[in-house]
């Protein structure tokens, strides 16, 4: 239907505009408005399907973005909340069996004329030093439980208790001296208690009597010994056992040392019939502790060069 116009005189410009072609009028934006919700709905449905698929996925083969999308707030809270951390998380050690072996010292670390032996694990049951049966000499009973524990753990793998994780042992001999060296992982509370026990021995077991299986009496003295400032905690002792073996007087002197790093520790028992070379004990601690620290840092310790001081 044509809308009537009032009768007016048109100017040339108006006439020209009237003769110019007019753009085709487009319908009102109703079709465009109808199309937009459909696209938005389709996008929302597609996104929802992707989220549902990511949430149901077990993560195998998924991208990092999908894994992040699939993480729920509940899972993140469980992972990061201090209240849900299991107590064992702070009690475990990263020390592996291979790492414990790599952390062991060598002959080069302790110098002198030490030779590594094959089976130091058998020393507690059969240790012959010269003509003295040291295993039998160290067997006996004490009236004090703490002192008995010390005697039972000399030349044994239980100076700090039974390891709870990885453990490695090595031994060396030089003349009438023997050196036992261990690297091991422990439960934190057990290790802390063992270090406190060692620290108390110079007072609680400064001197006591050990009754041997053959009825002989041994006099045992325990004094504190200094160690290099290594590790997080350390304790050194010198244990002297006097008695007789096959009717002959015998004095067995041993250095005992322990160094803690977290829930791991090194232990040293060093000495013999000619006394304990304290310099060797200090060298074992001074060279061995950094080796364990290297292992715990994820590195392999370098071999100690021959001739190291």
């Amino acid at each position: 239907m044509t809308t009537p116009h009032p009768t007016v005189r048109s100017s040339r410009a108006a006439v020209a505009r009237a003769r110019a072609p007019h753009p085709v009028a487009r319908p009102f934006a109703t079709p465009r408005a109808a199309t937009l919700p459909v696209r938005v709905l389709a996008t929302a449905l597609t996104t929802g399907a992707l989220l549902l698929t990511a949430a149901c996925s077990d993560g195998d083969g998924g991208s990092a973005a999908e894994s992040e999308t699939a993480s729920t707030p509940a899972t993140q809270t469980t992972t990061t909340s201090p209240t849900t951390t299991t107590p064992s998380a702070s009690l475990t050690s990263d020390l592996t069996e291979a790492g414990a072996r790599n952390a062991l010292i060598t002959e080069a670390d302790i110098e002198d004329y030490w030779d590594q032996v094959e089976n130091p694990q058998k020393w507690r049951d059969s240790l012959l030093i010269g003509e003295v049966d040291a295993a039998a000499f160290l067997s006996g009973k004490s009236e004090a439980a703490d002192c008995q524990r010390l005697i039972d753990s000399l030349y044994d793998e239980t100076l700090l208790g039974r390891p709870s994780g990885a453990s490695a042992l090595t031994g060396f001999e030089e003349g009438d001296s023997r050196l036992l060296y261990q690297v091991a992982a422990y439960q934190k509370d057990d290790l802390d208690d063992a270090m406190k026990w060692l620290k108390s021995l110079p007072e609680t077991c400064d001197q006591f009597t050990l009754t041997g299986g053959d009825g002989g009496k041994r006099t045992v003295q325990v004094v504190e010994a200094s160690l290099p400032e290594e590790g997080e905690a350390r304790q050194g002792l010198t244990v002297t056992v006097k008695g007789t073996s096959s009717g002959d007087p015998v004095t067995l002197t041993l250095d005992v040392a322990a160094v803690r790093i977290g829930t791991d520790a090194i232990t040293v028992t060093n000495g013999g019939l000619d006394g304990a070379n304290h310099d060797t004990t200090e060298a074992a601690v001074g060279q061995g502790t950094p080796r364990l620290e290297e292992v715990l840092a994820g590195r392999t310790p370098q071999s100690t060069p021959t001739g190291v001081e």
Side-chain angles (χ1 to χ4, degrees):
M1 175 177 171
T2 304
T3 304
H5 297 278
T7 303
V8 294
R9 181 182 291 273
S10 301
S11 65
R12 290 184 178 180
V15 172
R17 285 195 301 270
R19 290 178 178 177
H22 293 281
V24 178
R26 295 183 179 179
F28 195 66
T30 302
R32 183 179 181 85
T35 303
L36 182 59
V38 172
R39 291 178 179 174
V40 172
L41 179 59
T43 302
L45 290 175
T46 302
T47 303
L50 289 174
L51 290 172
L52 181 60
T53 302
C56 296
S57 172
D58 62 359
D60 292 340
S63 66
E66 289 173 344
S67 298
E68 292 175 359
T69 305
S71 298
T72 64
T75 301
Q76 294 170 354
T77 301
T78 302
T79 301
T80 59
S81 175
T83 59
T84 56
T85 301
T86 57
S88 61
S90 62
L91 304 181
T92 58
S93 168
D94 293 331
L95 186 66
T96 64
E97 294 290 344
R101 290 192 297 271
N102 286 334
L104 293 174
I105 59 172
T106 67
E107 296 100 324
D109 292 307
I110 50 179
E111 281 294 279
D112 293 336
Y113 300 98
W114 292 95
D115 294 318
Q116 190 169 6
V117 298
E118 291 186 0
N119 295 308
Q121 294 89 346
K122 297 181 179 179
W123 276 356
R124 184 64 205 182
D125 299 325
S126 58
L127 175 60
L128 188 66
I129 301 179
E131 296 180 357
V132 176
D133 186 343
F137 187 70
L138 289 173
S139 297
K141 296 298 181 183
S142 169
E143 294 180 358
D146 284 343
C147 305
Q148 183 70 55
R149 175 182 172 183
L150 172 64
I151 293 299
D152 290 343
S153 63
L154 294 176
Y155 286 126
D156 194 14
E157 300 174 60
T158 61
L159 181 65
L160 296 178
R162 293 288 178 188
S164 63
S167 177
L169 191 74
T170 189
F172 307 88
E173 62 181 5
E174 180 189 21
D176 286 339
S177 295
R178 303 290 183 271
L179 188 148
L180 187 70
Y181 189 94
Q182 182 181 18
V183 175
Y186 303 86
Q187 289 290 333
K188 183 179 184 302
D189 291 343
D190 294 342
L191 182 55
D192 288 344
D193 290 343
M195 294 297 291
K196 292 177 182 176
W197 165 72
L198 280 179
K199 189 175 183 63
S200 71
L201 292 181
E203 181 177 348
T204 59
C205 299
D206 59 336
Q207 182 167 314
F208 62 96
T209 299
L210 187 70
T211 303
D214 57 358
K217 302 288 185 178
R218 291 92 159 95
T219 301
V220 184
Q221 291 180 319
V222 180
V223 298
E224 189 166 10
S226 62
L227 292 177
E229 293 289 322
E230 299 285 354
E232 298 171 9
R234 68 210 62 82
Q235 184 60 50
L237 306 171
T238 298
V239 181
T240 303
V241 185
K242 294 182 178 181
T244 60
S245 175
S246 301
D248 297 323
V250 172
T251 299
L252 181 64
T253 306
L254 303 173
D255 270 354
V256 175
V259 178
R260 177 180 67 80
I261 303 174
T263 56
D264 307 307
I266 64 173
T267 56
V268 182
T269 302
N270 165 46
L273 302 178
D274 294 330
N277 187 332
H278 197 62
D279 289 343
T280 298
T281 305
E282 290 187 336
V285 169
Q287 296 293 328
T289 306
R291 292 183 66 85
L292 177 56
E293 291 172 339
E294 284 283 295
V295 167
L296 295 177
R299 299 185 289 268
T300 300
Q302 298 296 317
S303 300
T304 304
T306 302
V308 67
E309 294 291 338

